[in-house]
């Protein structure tokens, strides 16, 4: 089961996996920043029937990245 609180975990050597319980049937924007000021959209994902979203960021920037989720 997916947690209500989004999780971001390292996947392998570098990739980061973002998982969250979204709103069923709604689009969600997964965004990334290196400075918490400028944000870029990595993906627009739909929560589907269950609302569960699982996204892999295969190449996050070093040394750190911040993630947020929003609806358009």
């Amino acid at each position: 089961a997916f947690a209500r609180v989004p999780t971001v975990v390292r996947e392998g050597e570098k990739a980061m996996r973002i998982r969250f319980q979204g709103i069923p049937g709604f689009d969600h924007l997964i965004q990334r920043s290196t400075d918490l000021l400028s944000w870029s959209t990595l993906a627009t994902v739909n929560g589907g029937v269950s609302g569960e979203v699982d996204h892999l960021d295969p190449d996050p920037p070093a040394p750190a990245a911040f993630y947020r989720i929003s609806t358009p």
Side-chain angles (χ1 to χ4, degrees):
F2 280 57
R4 290 258 177 230
V5 176
T7 59
V8 178
V9 295
R10 184 170 303 279
E11 185 91 4
E13 288 291 315
K14 190 173 181 184
M16 299 299 283
R17 182 167 301 280
I18 299 104
R19 297 179 77 189
F20 63 95
Q21 179 66 46
I23 302 168
F26 277 73
D27 285 340
H28 302 79
L29 302 177
I30 298 176
Q31 298 179 323
R32 181 178 69 197
S33 174
T34 56
D35 61 10
L36 294 174
L37 299 173
S38 301
W39 293 89
S40 59
T41 299
L42 296 178
T44 301
V45 293
N46 190 282
V49 174
S50 67
E52 295 176 351
V53 176
D54 186 344
H55 178 76
L56 184 69
D57 181 3
D59 194 25
F66 303 93
Y67 296 90
R68 73 179 181 187
I69 303 156
S70 68
T71 53

